[in-house]
Amino acid sequence: MSWYARLNSTYPIVTRSLTTGITSAACDGLVQLRMKKEGESYSFFRSLKMFCYGTFALGPILHHWFGFLERAIPLHKEMTKPQRFKTILKRIVLDQGVYAPSIITFFMTAQTALDYYLPDQRTSETIKNDSKTLPVTGVISNKLSRDFLPTYLTSCSVWPAAQMFNFYVIPPNFRVLFVGMVGLWWNCLLYFKQQKP
């Protein structure tokens, strides 16, 4: 882990972005293998799209989001346990109330647009069928109206506990990595929802 800590302190945004890109591609690979039907081949193009999304979008967003939380709602070593708990609770409320709905909407919008303009054999039949009759905005609107609320509600059952642990235990320079590890499972769920018919 010392090599990661060195890279993270020397090149924080690059390290965190590449870490997020790699975990995003790994999630996609796991989902593809889980959903693979007989005769279907693995779509390296789809994994590349997920790697690009993780590296160039989600990684920088996470880097800046955690930086914002550190500045907006700082944790201090001299805080009492009740003060620390209250501060972490504020972060979690902000994370679930602002970040979660925003990033879920961004993910679904970006991935649906990519599937619309750059479909592959793993693009869901629903998106393929909608694309035949609707503009990209209509396909995105259908995707959000169908999947946003269930996804957000699922996130509310996962991320508050994960973030409580993250803010209590994990040092700030490793928080994006921790979120990436929890996100491995979470992103698998999102990618699964993206590919389902």
Side-chain angles (χ1 to χ4, degrees):
M1 259 344 221
S2 64
W3 62 270
Y4 185 85
R6 256 190 330 277
L7 285 173
N8 200 13
S9 63
T10 308
Y11 309 103
I13 196 163
V14 172
T15 303
R16 293 168 187 169
S17 294
L18 286 172
T19 300
T20 306
I22 291 166
T23 58
S24 295
C27 290
D28 180 68
L30 291 172
V31 169
Q32 283 194 55
L33 294 174
R34 173 74 174 93
M35 295 180 63
K36 188 175 180 180
K37 296 175 186 155
E38 196 172 320
E40 278 187 339
S41 60
Y42 185 89
S43 173
F44 288 99
F45 182 64
R46 179 156 200 97
S47 292
L48 177 64
K49 287 192 289 187
M50 296 303 171
F51 173 79
C52 290
Y53 168 78
T55 302
F56 301 112
L58 185 57
I61 290 169
L62 282 170
H63 169 80
H64 291 294
W65 176 250
F66 281 108
F68 166 75
L69 287 177
E70 290 296 324
R71 289 185 310 278
I73 309 170
L75 284 168
H76 304 289
K77 290 182 182 181
E78 60 277 352
M79 287 180 158
T80 64
K81 284 185 180 183
Q83 289 172 323
R84 189 170 176 78
F85 180 78
K86 186 177 176 183
T87 301
I88 289 172
L89 205 54
K90 287 179 187 176
R91 285 185 177 189
I92 291 169
V93 167
L94 193 58
D95 193 65
Q96 276 307 121
V98 175
Y99 177 78
S102 301
I103 203 66
I104 291 167
T105 300
F106 178 73
F107 173 82
M108 289 183 176
T109 300
Q111 293 305 319
T112 301
L114 282 170
D115 285 344
Y116 183 90
Y117 290 114
L118 301 168
D120 59 56
Q121 75 261 21
R122 296 285 181 165
T123 300
S124 78
E125 289 303 316
T126 303
I127 291 175
K128 285 179 185 176
N129 290 335
D130 283 354
S131 297
K132 292 175 186 173
T133 58
L134 296 171
V136 68
T137 53
V139 178
I140 291 168
S141 178
N142 283 353
K143 177 69 176 172
L144 289 171
S145 65
R146 185 176 54 250
D147 291 341
F148 173 82
L149 188 57
T151 304
Y152 178 70
L153 293 175
T154 303
S155 100
C156 289
S157 69
V158 172
W159 285 107
Q163 292 294 45
M164 180 69 76
F165 181 83
N166 195 16
F167 295 132
Y168 257 116
V169 177
I170 306 297
N173 58 331
F174 287 98
R175 289 190 178 138
V176 171
L177 177 62
F178 175 78
V179 165
M181 296 301 102
V182 175
L184 190 61
W185 172 84
W186 173 250
N187 289 335
C188 285
L189 176 69
L190 286 181
Y191 298 161
F192 179 79
K193 285 182 174 286
Q194 185 68 22
Q195 290 185 18
K196 75 176 184 176

